[in-house]
PDB file of all heavy atoms in Angstrom:
ATOM      1  N   ARG A 267      28.066 -23.916  -2.360  1.00 75.00           N
ATOM      2  CA  ARG A 267      27.201 -24.912  -1.724  1.00 75.00           C
ATOM      3  C   ARG A 267      25.730 -24.489  -1.735  1.00 75.00           C
ATOM      4  O   ARG A 267      24.872 -25.256  -1.309  1.00 75.00           O
ATOM      5  CB  ARG A 267      27.666 -25.136  -0.282  1.00 75.00           C
ATOM      6  CG  ARG A 267      29.089 -25.684  -0.199  1.00 75.00           C
ATOM      7  CD  ARG A 267      29.609 -25.626   1.215  1.00 75.00           C
ATOM      8  NE  ARG A 267      28.775 -26.381   2.134  1.00 75.00           N
ATOM      9  CZ  ARG A 267      28.902 -26.327   3.465  1.00 75.00           C
ATOM     10  NH1 ARG A 267      29.821 -25.530   3.994  1.00 75.00           N
ATOM     11  NH2 ARG A 267      28.095 -27.032   4.242  1.00 75.00           N
ATOM     12  N   LEU A 268      25.436 -23.289  -2.182  1.00 76.00           N
ATOM     13  CA  LEU A 268      24.051 -22.800  -2.210  1.00 76.00           C
ATOM     14  C   LEU A 268      23.790 -22.141  -3.555  1.00 76.00           C
ATOM     15  O   LEU A 268      24.575 -21.294  -4.007  1.00 76.00           O
ATOM     16  CB  LEU A 268      23.825 -21.775  -1.083  1.00 76.00           C
ATOM     17  CG  LEU A 268      22.396 -21.239  -0.932  1.00 76.00           C
ATOM     18  CD1 LEU A 268      21.458 -22.356  -0.494  1.00 76.00           C
ATOM     19  CD2 LEU A 268      22.353 -20.107   0.087  1.00 76.00           C
ATOM     20  N   GLN A 269      22.731 -22.558  -4.205  1.00 82.00           N
ATOM     21  CA  GLN A 269      22.398 -21.996  -5.510  1.00 82.00           C
ATOM     22  C   GLN A 269      22.068 -20.508  -5.383  1.00 82.00           C
ATOM     23  O   GLN A 269      21.470 -20.080  -4.393  1.00 82.00           O
ATOM     24  CB  GLN A 269      21.198 -22.722  -6.110  1.00 82.00           C
ATOM     25  CG  GLN A 269      21.448 -24.186  -6.401  1.00 82.00           C
ATOM     26  CD  GLN A 269      20.210 -24.869  -6.943  1.00 82.00           C
ATOM     27  OE1 GLN A 269      19.216 -24.217  -7.259  1.00 82.00           O
ATOM     28  NE2 GLN A 269      20.270 -26.189  -7.063  1.00 82.00           N
ATOM     29  N   ARG A 270      22.438 -19.765  -6.409  1.00 85.00           N
ATOM     30  CA  ARG A 270      22.173 -18.328  -6.372  1.00 85.00           C
ATOM     31  C   ARG A 270      20.682 -18.046  -6.367  1.00 85.00           C
ATOM     32  O   ARG A 270      20.212 -17.129  -5.702  1.00 85.00           O
ATOM     33  CB  ARG A 270      22.839 -17.650  -7.575  1.00 85.00           C
ATOM     34  CG  ARG A 270      22.605 -16.152  -7.585  1.00 85.00           C
ATOM     35  CD  ARG A 270      23.568 -15.420  -8.482  1.00 85.00           C
ATOM     36  NE  ARG A 270      23.458 -15.834  -9.865  1.00 85.00           N
ATOM     37  CZ  ARG A 270      24.012 -15.170 -10.881  1.00 85.00           C
ATOM     38  NH1 ARG A 270      24.712 -14.079 -10.642  1.00 85.00           N
ATOM     39  NH2 ARG A 270      23.880 -15.610 -12.113  1.00 85.00           N
ATOM     40  N   ARG A 271      19.910 -18.867  -7.070  1.00 85.00           N
ATOM     41  CA  ARG A 271      18.460 -18.659  -7.087  1.00 85.00           C
ATOM     42  C   ARG A 271      17.870 -18.802  -5.693  1.00 85.00           C
ATOM     43  O   ARG A 271      16.991 -18.031  -5.289  1.00 85.00           O
ATOM     44  CB  ARG A 271      17.807 -19.655  -8.044  1.00 85.00           C
ATOM     45  CG  ARG A 271      16.293 -19.547  -8.091  1.00 85.00           C
ATOM     46  CD  ARG A 271      15.721 -20.499  -9.133  1.00 85.00           C
ATOM     47  NE  ARG A 271      16.002 -21.882  -8.817  1.00 85.00           N
ATOM     48  CZ  ARG A 271      15.251 -22.632  -7.997  1.00 85.00           C
ATOM     49  NH1 ARG A 271      14.170 -22.108  -7.437  1.00 85.00           N
ATOM     50  NH2 ARG A 271      15.560 -23.885  -7.752  1.00 85.00           N
ATOM     51  N   ILE A 272      18.367 -19.788  -4.946  1.00 88.00           N
ATOM     52  CA  ILE A 272      17.858 -19.998  -3.594  1.00 88.00           C
ATOM     53  C   ILE A 272      18.232 -18.821  -2.707  1.00 88.00           C
ATOM     54  O   ILE A 272      17.413 -18.313  -1.921  1.00 88.00           O
ATOM     55  CB  ILE A 272      18.403 -21.311  -3.011  1.00 88.00           C
ATOM     56  CG1 ILE A 272      17.938 -22.498  -3.858  1.00 88.00           C
ATOM     57  CG2 ILE A 272      17.958 -21.474  -1.565  1.00 88.00           C
ATOM     58  CD1 ILE A 272      16.439 -22.654  -3.902  1.00 88.00           C
ATOM     59  N   LEU A 273      19.472 -18.364  -2.802  1.00 88.00           N
ATOM     60  CA  LEU A 273      19.908 -17.212  -1.990  1.00 88.00           C
ATOM     61  C   LEU A 273      19.037 -15.992  -2.268  1.00 88.00           C
ATOM     62  O   LEU A 273      18.558 -15.326  -1.342  1.00 88.00           O
ATOM     63  CB  LEU A 273      21.377 -16.897  -2.299  1.00 88.00           C
ATOM     64  CG  LEU A 273      21.911 -15.598  -1.682  1.00 88.00           C
ATOM     65  CD1 LEU A 273      21.947 -15.690  -0.173  1.00 88.00           C
ATOM     66  CD2 LEU A 273      23.297 -15.267  -2.233  1.00 88.00           C
ATOM     67  N   ILE A 274      18.810 -15.725  -3.539  1.00 89.00           N
ATOM     68  CA  ILE A 274      18.021 -14.549  -3.910  1.00 89.00           C
ATOM     69  C   ILE A 274      16.582 -14.690  -3.438  1.00 89.00           C
ATOM     70  O   ILE A 274      15.971 -13.734  -2.952  1.00 89.00           O
ATOM     71  CB  ILE A 274      18.110 -14.344  -5.442  1.00 89.00           C
ATOM     72  CG1 ILE A 274      19.533 -13.924  -5.835  1.00 89.00           C
ATOM     73  CG2 ILE A 274      17.102 -13.291  -5.892  1.00 89.00           C
ATOM     74  CD1 ILE A 274      19.763 -13.859  -7.327  1.00 89.00           C
ATOM     75  N   THR A 275      16.034 -15.891  -3.561  1.00 88.00           N
ATOM     76  CA  THR A 275      14.653 -16.113  -3.113  1.00 88.00           C
ATOM     77  C   THR A 275      14.529 -15.902  -1.610  1.00 88.00           C
ATOM     78  O   THR A 275      13.559 -15.311  -1.136  1.00 88.00           O
ATOM     79  CB  THR A 275      14.206 -17.533  -3.486  1.00 88.00           C
ATOM     80  OG1 THR A 275      14.330 -17.709  -4.895  1.00 88.00           O
ATOM     81  CG2 THR A 275      12.765 -17.757  -3.082  1.00 88.00           C
ATOM     82  N   VAL A 276      15.499 -16.404  -0.857  1.00 90.00           N
ATOM     83  CA  VAL A 276      15.477 -16.215   0.599  1.00 90.00           C
ATOM     84  C   VAL A 276      15.523 -14.736   0.945  1.00 90.00           C
ATOM     85  O   VAL A 276      14.788 -14.252   1.825  1.00 90.00           O
ATOM     86  CB  VAL A 276      16.650 -16.971   1.258  1.00 90.00           C
ATOM     87  CG1 VAL A 276      16.773 -16.591   2.731  1.00 90.00           C
ATOM     88  CG2 VAL A 276      16.451 -18.477   1.130  1.00 90.00           C
ATOM     89  N   LEU A 277      16.361 -13.983   0.263  1.00 88.00           N
ATOM     90  CA  LEU A 277      16.471 -12.548   0.547  1.00 88.00           C
ATOM     91  C   LEU A 277      15.151 -11.832   0.279  1.00 88.00           C
ATOM     92  O   LEU A 277      14.727 -10.962   1.048  1.00 88.00           O
ATOM     93  CB  LEU A 277      17.588 -11.937  -0.300  1.00 88.00           C
ATOM     94  CG  LEU A 277      19.003 -12.461  -0.023  1.00 88.00           C
ATOM     95  CD1 LEU A 277      20.020 -11.762  -0.923  1.00 88.00           C
ATOM     96  CD2 LEU A 277      19.376 -12.275   1.437  1.00 88.00           C
ATOM     97  N   GLY A 278      14.489 -12.216  -0.813  1.00 86.00           N
ATOM     98  CA  GLY A 278      13.199 -11.595  -1.098  1.00 86.00           C
ATOM     99  C   GLY A 278      12.165 -11.927  -0.038  1.00 86.00           C
ATOM    100  O   GLY A 278      11.364 -11.071   0.359  1.00 86.00           O
ATOM    101  N   SER A 279      12.180 -13.160   0.439  1.00 87.00           N
ATOM    102  CA  SER A 279      11.236 -13.538   1.485  1.00 87.00           C
ATOM    103  C   SER A 279      11.525 -12.799   2.780  1.00 87.00           C
ATOM    104  O   SER A 279      10.610 -12.356   3.479  1.00 87.00           O
ATOM    105  CB  SER A 279      11.303 -15.051   1.709  1.00 87.00           C
ATOM    106  OG  SER A 279      10.350 -15.459   2.657  1.00 87.00           O
ATOM    107  N   LEU A 280      12.806 -12.635   3.116  1.00 87.00           N
ATOM    108  CA  LEU A 280      13.154 -11.884   4.327  1.00 87.00           C
ATOM    109  C   LEU A 280      12.679 -10.438   4.237  1.00 87.00           C
ATOM    110  O   LEU A 280      12.262  -9.848   5.241  1.00 87.00           O
ATOM    111  CB  LEU A 280      14.675 -11.916   4.543  1.00 87.00           C
ATOM    112  CG  LEU A 280      15.315 -13.276   4.810  1.00 87.00           C
ATOM    113  CD1 LEU A 280      16.795 -13.104   5.140  1.00 87.00           C
ATOM    114  CD2 LEU A 280      14.612 -14.001   5.932  1.00 87.00           C
ATOM    115  N   ALA A 281      12.742  -9.872   3.045  1.00 85.00           N
ATOM    116  CA  ALA A 281      12.289  -8.483   2.881  1.00 85.00           C
ATOM    117  C   ALA A 281      10.813  -8.333   3.191  1.00 85.00           C
ATOM    118  O   ALA A 281      10.368  -7.293   3.683  1.00 85.00           O
ATOM    119  CB  ALA A 281      12.583  -8.008   1.450  1.00 85.00           C
ATOM    120  N   ARG A 282      10.024  -9.368   2.910  1.00 82.00           N
ATOM    121  CA  ARG A 282       8.598  -9.298   3.207  1.00 82.00           C
ATOM    122  C   ARG A 282       8.316  -9.464   4.696  1.00 82.00           C
ATOM    123  O   ARG A 282       7.352  -8.898   5.221  1.00 82.00           O
ATOM    124  CB  ARG A 282       7.844 -10.373   2.414  1.00 82.00           C
ATOM    125  CG  ARG A 282       7.799 -10.125   0.922  1.00 82.00           C
ATOM    126  CD  ARG A 282       6.754 -11.009   0.255  1.00 82.00           C
ATOM    127  NE  ARG A 282       7.077 -12.419   0.368  1.00 82.00           N
ATOM    128  CZ  ARG A 282       7.817 -13.091  -0.512  1.00 82.00           C
ATOM    129  NH1 ARG A 282       8.305 -12.463  -1.560  1.00 82.00           N
ATOM    130  NH2 ARG A 282       8.054 -14.373  -0.359  1.00 82.00           N
ATOM    131  N   PHE A 283       9.149 -10.255   5.378  1.00 85.00           N
ATOM    132  CA  PHE A 283       8.860 -10.583   6.774  1.00 85.00           C
ATOM    133  C   PHE A 283       9.519  -9.609   7.757  1.00 85.00           C
ATOM    134  O   PHE A 283       8.942  -9.318   8.801  1.00 85.00           O
ATOM    135  CB  PHE A 283       9.315 -12.006   7.083  1.00 85.00           C
ATOM    136  CG  PHE A 283       8.354 -13.058   6.615  1.00 85.00           C
ATOM    137  CD1 PHE A 283       8.348 -13.485   5.298  1.00 85.00           C
ATOM    138  CD2 PHE A 283       7.441 -13.617   7.485  1.00 85.00           C
ATOM    139  CE1 PHE A 283       7.461 -14.444   4.860  1.00 85.00           C
ATOM    140  CE2 PHE A 283       6.540 -14.583   7.061  1.00 85.00           C
ATOM    141  CZ  PHE A 283       6.541 -15.002   5.732  1.00 85.00           C
TER     142      PHE A 283
END
Side-chain angles (χ1 to χ4, degrees):
R267 298 168 59 191
L268 184 66
Q269 296 178 9
R270 181 162 61 167
R271 178 176 63 85
I272 298 299
L273 171 66
I274 292 173
T275 303
V276 171
L277 296 180
S279 183
L280 296 186
R282 291 195 296 271
F283 280 82

